[in-house]
Amino acid sequence: MTHDMVATLRPLLAAEASAEAYAAGTDQSDLEQAVWLRLLERLDADGPLVDPQGWVRRAVRSEVRRSRRTARRELPYGSEPADDGAAGPEQQALTAARHRALHAAVRRLPGRCPRLMAALLSPQDLTYREIAGELGISQGSLGPERSRCLGCLRRLLSAEVAAREPRG
């Protein structure tokens, strides 16, 4: 497929897809994409088209029919499907263990870091203004302080993870 072919067929395909998409209940861009894909497959298998404009018109109508057939076969759920995203007991235990390890590492940080990180990890979802008021520091210094504390925490945790791995 050449650049000239794409440039020539793009306006025609956009017009045809725009005219057919609404009645078919499909998105115009999805319809265009399906036709471009079909064109690429067609060119790969059979070579150049004899009548590209006619082929585009027929391909758009064919994709619309396919879209309608698919829409007729697809049925909505009567009720919400079961939520498989909920964590099971094993996942909950692992998450709780990670949280305990994180909070234990936070307590071992130097200086004001334990209080700052505890405030940031708080389930109350405190704002920077609230955290600054609680710690008695300016709101503008929270960002640099947080960055420094996260660096310390990162080094602390990476040393623990590296120490636990078997060597050999």
Side-chain angles (χ1 to χ4, degrees):
M1 181 161 37
T2 66
H3 178 65
D4 294 335
M5 183 180 208
V6 171
T8 303
L9 295 179
R10 178 175 283 142
L12 174 65
L13 178 56
E16 290 289 327
S18 175
E20 297 287 340
Y22 181 76
T26 187
D27 185 48
Q28 175 184 344
S29 57
D30 290 343
L31 187 56
E32 287 180 41
Q33 184 177 12
V35 172
W36 283 122
L37 180 61
R38 184 183 278 196
L39 177 61
L40 287 173
E41 291 170 345
R42 166 72 169 73
L43 290 174
D44 189 41
D46 300 332
L49 300 171
V50 177
D51 178 23
Q53 289 83 7
W55 185 90
V56 166
R57 288 184 183 98
R58 288 188 304 274
V60 167
R61 282 159 188 77
S62 175
E63 284 298 318
V64 165
R65 285 191 303 274
R66 186 195 56 76
S67 176
R68 285 184 183 141
R69 282 192 308 269
T70 302
R72 278 195 306 262
R73 290 184 192 135
E74 292 176 349
L75 300 174
Y77 285 114
S79 62
E80 286 296 316
D83 182 15
D84 291 336
E90 182 180 1
Q91 186 62 39
Q92 289 174 351
L94 291 172
T95 300
R98 278 195 304 273
H99 286 154
R100 281 191 302 275
L102 175 64
H103 286 282
V106 164
R107 287 190 296 273
R108 293 192 311 268
L109 289 172
R112 291 191 287 204
C113 288
R115 290 184 58 211
L116 174 61
M117 295 306 295
L120 289 170
L121 292 171
S122 170
Q124 297 170 345
D125 196 26
L126 302 171
T127 64
Y128 265 29
R129 178 176 290 166
E130 294 168 333
I131 293 171
E134 183 179 306
L135 298 178
I137 59 177
S138 72
Q139 187 175 344
S141 66
L142 269 180
E145 184 81 15
R146 177 188 64 95
S147 188
R148 187 181 65 77
C149 292
L150 285 173
C152 289
L153 183 61
R154 191 175 300 114
R155 285 188 297 276
L156 182 70
L157 290 175
S158 67
E160 284 184 8
V161 170
R164 290 185 184 161
E165 290 181 3
R167 303 212 181 230

